Amino acid sequence: MSYSRILIISLIILIQSLCLNAQNNSFEHLKEANQNITAEVIHFNDTINVFNGYSAEFNIFDNDTIPEDTVLITELINPNDLYGVIDDLGEGNFRYQSIEDNKCLEESIVCRICDRSDNCQESLIYFIVTLIDSDGDNIPDYIEQEYWNTDGDDYPDYGDTDSDGDGIPDLIEGGIEDPCNFDPNIYPLDTNGDGIPDYRSLDSDGDGIPDSVEGIEDCDGDGIPNYRDYYDDCASRLAAVETFSPNRDGVNDYFTIKGLADFPDNELFVYNRWGGRVYYMQNYNNQWDGTSQESGIGTADLPEGTYFYVLKLVNNQVIKGTVFLKR
């Protein structure tokens, strides 16, 4: 074979090889282009939680699906309509500053993202602003920080679940169910209106009985716990005299039951040793002077001796006891 023929064949083979490589490269580029076209950016809504008066930095792409090497442009729609202040830090990073006004807030803004081909999506950024409540008693710190340490223990009020140390949690005494929704003119509760809220007071109702003694029970069933009920009607605090001497000397002349004023609806029955009723009064007012009101026995002064009484209260409690009538 001549040298010129060999040269021609070699050139043909080289040209064919170059064409094949060009086709392969073209196919790879087309494949890559198709992948870029079909790859989808999925942009989700964002929720940002922040305390009142504080700021939060965030990236709106953190929870999104974004193909590699995709360039996106972000735009906030009407950012000045927000109550808080938002700053664009670039590359999807933002800073939201809440206004310090001791209020909770929920607001949102529309965020638009676009690629270089102007394919755009919109989503919402929600901002939830809450109040700091370090001890979880529903009394915001900005209220409790006004008083540093009521009971003088190792914990300031804003970090103390029982600020006054009376054994009743601030969560109960404060009375606030939702720290983001309460009337500051009413809460935290101040039962006796002395300017000291219940969670800082050792005698919330001002009845002279410490809250630690009265507790959170409701002895009279009126829906008001004992520590807040000036007329708590707890029968356990009723104290009847054991002896009285109705000799009209102005001293111990009546059968008295201390605390009975808290039980306006009551009935008192008094019996002699033989079981005969000698006295009865509805709404007893501590005025029995040892005389009988029963016609069968006579209305004269009763003789000295031991008598039995039954006191019935409106909440179906019954108290029984004895009293010695001394002449």
Side-chain angles (χ1 to χ4, degrees):
M1 182 180 294
S2 66
Y3 174 77
S4 60
R5 184 175 178 81
I6 294 173
L7 181 61
I8 291 173
I9 293 173
S10 298
L11 288 174
I12 292 173
I13 293 173
L14 177 61
I15 292 171
Q16 288 177 340
S17 177
L18 291 174
C19 290
L20 180 61
N21 288 335
Q23 288 178 346
N24 289 336
N25 289 335
S26 176
F27 176 76
E28 290 298 326
H29 285 300
L30 180 60
K31 180 180 178 182
E32 182 178 349
N34 287 337
Q35 286 178 337
N36 287 335
I37 293 173
T38 58
E40 183 180 3
V41 174
I42 302 177
H43 186 47
F44 296 95
N45 294 335
D46 294 276
T47 300
I48 309 302
N49 294 285
V50 60
F51 288 123
N52 183 273
Y54 285 72
S55 65
E57 294 188 7
F58 59 95
N59 187 293
I60 61 171
F61 301 135
D62 282 348
N63 65 338
D64 297 341
T65 301
I66 302 175
E68 188 176 358
D69 297 328
T70 301
V71 177
L72 297 174
I73 300 173
T74 62
E75 178 188 7
L76 298 177
I77 309 301
N78 299 324
N80 293 330
D81 289 347
L82 288 174
Y83 184 69
V85 178
I86 190 166
D87 296 315
D88 189 342
L89 305 180
E91 298 182 355
N93 295 297
F94 293 89
R95 179 192 298 113
Y96 175 82
Q97 174 68 54
S98 69
I99 305 301
E100 186 173 3
D101 58 2
N102 297 329
K103 296 179 181 179
C104 295
L105 172 71
E106 292 188 14
E107 61 178 346
S108 62
I109 189 173
V110 175
C111 178
R112 178 182 295 127
I113 64 170
C114 302
D115 61 19
R116 286 183 292 189
S117 299
D118 284 335
N119 297 312
C120 299
Q121 296 183 36
E122 290 186 352
S123 66
L124 287 172
I125 306 174
Y126 295 96
F127 300 100
I128 301 178
V129 181
T130 56
L131 299 174
I132 299 178
D133 177 18
S134 298
D135 52 10
D137 59 5
N138 286 349
I139 306 174
D141 283 8
Y142 79 87
I143 293 178
E144 293 191 284
Q145 285 176 343
E146 184 177 352
Y147 308 99
W148 181 248
N149 192 345
T150 298
D151 57 7
D153 62 5
D154 294 333
Y155 305 98
D157 288 357
Y158 67 86
D160 193 341
T161 58
D162 183 10
S163 296
D164 55 8
D166 63 0
I168 304 175
D170 293 354
L171 182 65
I172 295 176
E173 290 190 288
I176 299 175
E177 294 184 2
D178 182 355
C180 281
N181 184 23
F182 69 95
D183 186 345
N185 296 314
I186 299 176
Y187 300 95
L189 293 172
D190 178 11
T191 297
N192 61 358
D194 63 354
I196 302 175
D198 292 355
Y199 79 92
R200 296 188 57 243
S201 176
L202 296 177
D203 183 12
S204 297
D205 55 8
D207 62 357
I209 305 174
D211 292 352
S212 58
V213 174
E214 293 189 285
I216 61 175
E217 293 79 13
D218 179 14
C219 291
D220 56 3
D222 63 354
I224 304 174
N226 299 337
Y227 79 93
R228 292 192 58 222
D229 193 349
Y230 187 84
Y231 303 101
D232 53 21
D233 302 349
C234 288
S236 61
R237 299 194 189 100
L238 291 174
V241 297
E242 297 180 354
T243 301
F244 73 110
S245 54
N247 54 14
R248 299 173 180 80
D249 64 354
V251 179
N252 202 25
D253 284 334
Y254 301 98
F255 172 58
T256 58
I257 305 175
K258 184 180 179 180
L260 192 59
D262 294 347
F263 293 82
D265 298 321
N266 64 72
E267 292 181 284
L268 177 67
F269 303 80
V270 182
Y271 303 89
N272 60 24
R273 71 179 73 180
W274 298 283
R277 191 171 77 178
V278 297
Y279 184 82
Y280 167 80
M281 184 175 183
Q282 189 173 11
N283 301 328
Y284 180 59
N285 58 1
N286 288 331
Q287 291 297 306
W288 181 44
D289 60 359
T291 59
S292 173
Q293 62 178 198
E294 300 295 327
S295 58
I297 297 177
T299 57
D301 291 344
L302 292 167
E304 182 173 294
T306 298
Y307 292 83
F308 303 86
Y309 65 86
V310 176
L311 180 65
K312 293 184 177 180
L313 308 177
V314 68
N315 55 355
N316 296 320
Q317 294 187 71
V318 177
I319 301 174
K320 299 178 182 180
T322 62
V323 60
F324 185 77
L325 190 160
K326 180 177 177 60
R327 291 294 181 188

